[in-house]
Amino acid sequence: MQVPSIQRRSTHPIQVGKVTVGGDAPITVQSMTNTNTCEVAATLAQIHSLQQAGADIVRVSVPNLEAAEAFGQLKQSIDLPLIADIHFDHRIALRVAELGADCLRINPGNIGHPDRIKAVVDSARDKGISIRIGVNAGSLEKDLQHKYKEPTAAALVESALRHIDILDKLNFDQFKISLKASDVLMTVAAYRQLAATGITQPFHLGITEAGSLRSGTVKSAIGLGMLLAEGIGDTLRVSLAADPVQEIKVGFDILKSLHLRHRGINLIACPTCSRQNFDVIRVVNELENRLEDYLHPLTVAIIGCVVNGPGEAKEADIGLTGGDPQHLLYLNGKPQHKLKSEHLVDELERLIRSHQSTISSLNQEHG
Ligand code: SF4
């Protein structure tokens, strides 16, 4: 299938541990733990769940020095890049840098005295740690709040430029930037404005405090989708008032929808109508639940009747078109054999999983 491709904004790559952000690197998906960081076992369990869901990077809140020590323990137990989320206190930044942080989320303009800013940046430089400047509409500097009266895209950009200027003056370019608001249009406008300055720093995308699983997913898909479709964005976090694992799943679904990254099943299904020849909704939902662990890129089309079934099935790796009394299965776009309604989910799951093992063995054969 021929789809228009997205020309990504040109950025210079930075490292978040072993993961590259920006340049030609794939757009990464990250999330943040919501456990108490000092409860190391619980936080570790959550990081493992995020890793299993496919997270490329995980951010952990480090509100105090005790949490910094816990962060160090986490670092020793996992191999996923970890970002330390720090506000204001440079001592925490220095400590997590010593303990192996892969990136610091800290706004240099909020650290205070220039000597403290320099100490943090020098430590990051010495240890090969990147920084994220994270501007948020909810915590703009007082003078910008006064100047703009209320958060605006221009205020977010002005705030970011101040932090950027500090790092520029310290000759440090290993940083990425985020400009988040809970309003979709403001966020999109802010990223566009900053991109238009010609800056080559990678962007971390997000709609902050987007809301619950449903409304937050919709807001994030629209806002991040608009930017990604324009080529803006190098890493993203979907912020949901929900299990962080959902953030990873939604993040990948957004990237998948734009053909920017392929991971897990791209499930195509019809909305159903009275022409359906089997219970499409039940089959699709059950299949999706059973295949949560399946990470190989694969397109599967489940269509209720011949109106759209053959057309979709021809473009899919595995396709099913509802018929009466039996349904036609397609493999790699070609009709294969008929299936009865009773065993549709079992048979589709078996075929999808065997498709994965066929590909794995082919990959092994080819080294
Ligand atoms: Fe209805 Fe067939 Fe269209 Fe599905 S593909 S919505 S069953 S007409």
Side-chain angles (χ1 to χ4, degrees):
M1 191 170 28
Q2 289 286 333
V3 291
S5 62
I6 293 171
Q7 184 78 32
R8 281 177 65 190
R9 170 180 158 261
S10 173
T11 59
H12 77 253
I14 65 165
Q15 287 303 125
V16 177
K18 64 183 179 183
V19 171
T20 304
V21 173
D24 295 329
I27 298 170
T28 44
V29 177
Q30 49 180 291
S31 179
M32 187 170 179
T33 54
N34 61 6
T35 49
N36 178 343
T37 303
C38 293
E39 290 173 14
V40 173
T43 306
L44 207 48
Q46 194 170 60
I47 295 172
H48 282 308
S49 304
L50 292 169
Q51 188 167 25
Q52 235 171 10
D56 299 298
I57 298 167
V58 172
R59 179 158 50 112
V60 177
S61 209
V62 189
N64 50 43
L65 284 168
E66 188 193 349
E69 298 307 316
F71 184 93
Q73 289 177 44
L74 294 170
K75 258 313 285 177
Q76 284 174 9
S77 309
I78 53 152
D79 61 355
L80 209 57
L82 275 195
I83 301 175
D85 191 275
I86 300 152
H87 289 272
F88 310 114
D89 192 336
H90 79 295
R91 294 168 309 159
I92 301 173
L94 293 175
R95 185 64 185 138
V96 291
E98 276 169 21
L99 293 169
D102 297 294
C103 178
L104 307 173
R105 188 263 165 132
I106 190 165
N107 289 345
N110 299 347
I111 296 175
H113 195 279
D115 288 349
R116 292 178 177 175
I117 301 173
K118 187 171 181 310
V120 171
V121 173
D122 284 348
S123 172
R125 194 191 335 265
D126 290 350
K127 297 178 173 65
I129 299 171
S130 53
I131 289 177
R132 166 155 72 98
I133 293 174
V135 174
N136 195 305
S139 53
L140 280 171
E141 295 91 323
K142 287 248 159 24
D143 65 311
L144 290 178
Q145 288 178 27
H146 188 70
K147 176 176 171 185
Y148 288 92
K149 311 292 183 226
E150 59 184 1
T152 64
L156 292 172
V157 172
E158 186 169 341
S159 173
L161 290 173
R162 287 181 183 179
H163 299 298
I164 291 166
D165 188 52
I166 293 169
L167 294 183
D168 279 349
K169 287 196 170 110
L170 290 167
N171 210 17
F172 185 84
D173 68 355
Q174 293 300 294
F175 66 95
K176 55 193 169 120
I177 307 156
S178 64
L179 301 163
K180 298 188 185 181
S182 56
D183 183 84
V184 170
L185 294 177
M186 190 192 303
T187 306
V188 169
Y191 279 104
R192 281 178 179 157
Q193 284 175 28
L194 192 61
T197 65
I199 189 168
T200 61
Q201 242 63 41
F203 286 174
H204 162 123
L205 300 187
I207 306 293
T208 195
E209 292 118 24
S212 64
L213 181 57
R214 189 181 70 190
S215 64
T217 296
V218 171
K219 282 186 207 169
S220 300
I222 293 173
L224 273 50
M226 287 169 80
L227 291 164
L228 290 165
E230 293 170 19
I232 296 174
D234 302 282
T235 182
L236 61 88
R237 186 227 174 161
V238 173
S239 297
L240 299 175
D243 181 342
V245 165
Q246 298 296 336
E247 300 187 345
I248 298 297
K249 290 183 184 173
V250 174
F252 275 105
D253 282 345
I254 291 172
L255 293 178
K256 255 193 304 196
S257 304
L258 294 168
H259 302 284
L260 285 165
R261 197 138 170 217
H262 302 281
R263 183 171 232 276
I265 294 179
N266 175 25
L267 197 53
I268 292 161
C270 77
T272 77
C273 73
S274 71
R275 289 194 192 91
Q276 68 175 340
N277 288 308
F278 64 94
D279 187 345
V280 173
I281 294 174
R282 182 188 68 78
V283 169
V284 166
N285 284 327
E286 208 172 317
L287 209 53
E288 199 168 62
N289 283 341
R290 287 196 197 182
L291 293 163
E292 293 247 312
D293 62 316
Y294 188 93
L295 301 179
H296 185 80
L298 194 73
T299 300
V300 178
I302 314 276
I303 310 289
C305 81
V306 292
V307 171
N308 292 324
E312 291 290 356
K314 277 186 190 137
E315 301 293 337
D317 298 303
I318 295 176
L320 181 71
T321 295
D324 185 14
Q326 293 195 52
H327 320 298
L328 186 55
L329 183 89
Y330 292 71
L331 289 180
N332 300 320
K334 299 205 170 55
Q336 292 295 313
H337 56 266
K338 296 208 164 160
L339 292 174
K340 290 187 181 158
S341 295
E342 301 87 272
H343 304 298
L344 278 183
V345 179
D346 290 343
E347 183 59 4
L348 284 167
E349 184 186 0
R350 190 189 66 73
L351 282 165
I352 290 168
R353 292 198 186 278
S354 65
H355 202 277
Q356 181 181 30
S357 53
T358 309
I359 288 179
S360 311
S361 58
L362 279 176
N363 286 345
Q364 275 166 13
E365 275 172 32
H366 293 101

